[in-house]
Amino acid sequence: MSATHRPSATPATPVATPAARVANTAPATPASTGTGPAGRPVPALLLALMAAPLAAGANAPVLIVPDIAGSLGVPVGAAAQLLTAFGWAVAVATPLLAGLLRHRGTAALLRLSAALVLAGALIVAVSPWLPLTLLGRCAQAAGGAGFVAVAIGLAGTARRMGVVSAGFGVLGAAGPLLGKALAETASWRLALALPVVAMLAVPAVGRRAAATRAASAPAPGRFDARGAVLLTALVTALVLLATAPLAALGAALVAAALLVPHVRRRPEGFVPVALLRKPVFVGSALLALTVSTSYFTVLLTVPRLLADRAGWDPAAVGTGQLLALLAGSALSWPLAAVSSRMSRAAVRTVLASTGAASALTAVLADSGPLLLAATAAGVFTATAANAVLSTHAVAAAPDAGRRPAAIGLFTLAYQLGGAFGPAAAGLLVLGA
């Protein structure tokens, strides 16, 4: 997804997860649809199987942080860094690995992502120390982000990307319960290995992408290492805003002050100026950031509001929120499926109005069902935005060589909502 998360008593804290490509712009081409001149696209269910385990793995520790802390001999607050580190690694790795996709192609990114996921799972399986376990989790997150970048690039249509995005929402919502079940029946280490499930789809995705000529070929040009480092520093500072606001804000301002002139000197570098000059791309990314921030704010405040305003006990809160998240995620697919027959303005109006209704309901409602409806509307909006707005953003790329950069930067904007949402929840509602 994504995102910085705090452990809670509820089973629903989905990661901010990436998504989509395509839609109602120009007619589809082999470069934009994931198909070749001869051959069928990589099945959307395969792409979902490869990408969505990232969401389950991100949220698997939510309910078992105390067990992990006891096993590793650390305080619960320290063990909660397993959630924060995963979200940070996804946010940082997404644009970096999208850059690798641009310069090395799909096959190379699949190999690297698979190696990262497997190595991370192995480290988590044997690590006796929290720092080493954090390293393993970061490797898993980076590998999963690479799988997501490939899935976005191969999806091709909003309808197909809707399947992937809905998979993110469903597995993200179920992740805490899956993690708890695996920890109780086997080990918390197995629960943290959920991203490995993606490996079931990787060989088939690689073969089908190559057979249909859907795999991205390497783009010419030298990798902009300085731009990558500066963007990584900026993202890291933004992710840390919720935990160390003053220091993070200062670091973000310094990183931005260095990145802006660098982008001007390297207009074809890691952050292509041609993308930043496209109103469609910028508008899509900003709306995705807004929707994602609103969703994660609602997600983290509704459990407290259900207890305080509606008098629900923790078990009812957890069950109700899980059902709301599953329903909202599933309902997002129909909107993605019909978005190609809607204008961009109409799609954005639906997303903006539904997101606003979600936030307003959370602020004003006292009824338990209404608060759950706010959660369902929030995840519906965020998941649909992944499947549709990213389509608009990627379609805005002036050529195929810049599409991976569009994927990485758009997804980064969405991921940052997972960092800003918890901060907004703490300031506005939770009083943290």
Side-chain angles (χ1 to χ4, degrees):
M1 346 296 288
S2 261
T4 303
H5 296 288
R6 303 171 183 173
S8 71
T10 67
T13 312
V15 73
T17 45
R21 256 200 42 171
V22 287
N24 38 11
T25 54
T29 67
S32 65
T33 64
T35 65
R40 302 167 69 180
V42 180
L45 288 177
L46 265 182
L47 298 178
L49 178 59
M50 182 178 70
L54 175 70
N59 300 322
V62 167
L63 299 179
I64 58 174
V65 168
D67 298 332
I68 298 173
S71 176
L72 296 176
V74 300
V76 172
Q81 294 176 27
L82 291 167
L83 293 161
T84 303
F86 197 99
W88 169 82
V90 170
V92 167
T94 297
L96 291 176
L97 293 182
L100 178 67
L101 178 65
R102 178 184 180 188
H103 289 278
R104 293 293 183 267
T106 300
L109 181 52
L110 281 176
R111 289 193 296 269
L112 176 60
S113 299
L116 287 169
V117 167
L118 291 174
L122 180 61
I123 292 172
V124 170
V126 301
S127 170
W129 308 298
L130 178 61
L132 189 58
T133 306
L134 288 170
L135 178 64
R137 287 282 287 170
C138 288
Q140 288 178 315
F147 288 150
V148 167
V150 172
I152 292 172
L154 296 178
T157 68
R159 182 186 182 90
R160 283 161 43 79
M161 198 55 224
V163 175
V164 179
S165 188
F168 271 111
V170 170
L171 284 187
L177 289 182
L178 287 173
K180 186 174 179 61
L182 289 172
E184 290 177 347
T185 57
S187 167
W188 63 264
R189 297 180 187 274
L190 182 61
L192 267 56
L194 280 171
V196 173
V197 174
M199 296 302 301
L200 296 174
V202 171
V205 169
R207 287 195 304 270
R208 288 173 180 261
T212 61
R213 303 179 195 175
S216 299
R222 183 167 54 89
F223 182 71
D224 179 14
R226 180 179 173 83
V229 169
L230 290 174
L231 183 63
T232 299
L234 176 60
V235 172
T236 301
L238 293 175
V239 168
L240 292 174
L241 277 173
T243 54
L246 292 179
L249 180 60
L253 291 174
V254 171
L258 295 173
L259 180 61
V260 170
H262 174 77
V263 169
R264 290 173 178 166
R265 289 193 300 268
R266 289 286 304 273
E268 298 297 323
F270 195 74
V271 182
V273 171
L275 277 178
L276 302 182
R277 289 175 176 168
K278 294 285 186 179
V280 171
F281 175 82
V282 175
S284 298
L286 290 177
L287 181 54
L289 172 62
T290 303
V291 166
S292 177
T293 301
S294 173
Y295 163 55
F296 280 95
T297 304
V298 169
L299 180 69
L300 295 176
T301 56
V302 163
R304 171 72 67 85
L305 298 178
L306 284 170
D308 292 348
R309 296 179 184 175
W312 287 23
D313 60 45
V317 169
T319 302
Q321 191 177 33
L322 174 63
L323 293 175
L325 288 167
L326 292 174
S329 299
L331 290 173
S332 68
W333 182 80
L335 176 61
V338 303
S339 64
S340 61
R341 297 192 292 272
M342 301 169 63
S343 68
R344 284 177 180 162
V347 170
R348 295 183 183 197
T349 298
V350 170
L351 294 174
S353 59
T354 308
S358 170
L360 190 61
T361 301
V363 170
L364 299 178
D366 292 324
S367 161
L370 283 178
L371 289 170
L372 290 180
T375 299
V379 71
F380 165 85
T381 305
T383 307
N386 257 332
V388 180
L389 290 179
S390 56
T391 299
H392 300 171
V394 175
D399 54 61
R402 293 186 182 91
R403 286 185 182 124
I407 292 170
L409 295 176
F410 172 87
T411 304
L412 171 61
Y414 181 86
Q415 292 288 342
L416 285 176
F420 297 158
L427 291 173
L428 300 177
V429 179
L430 302 180

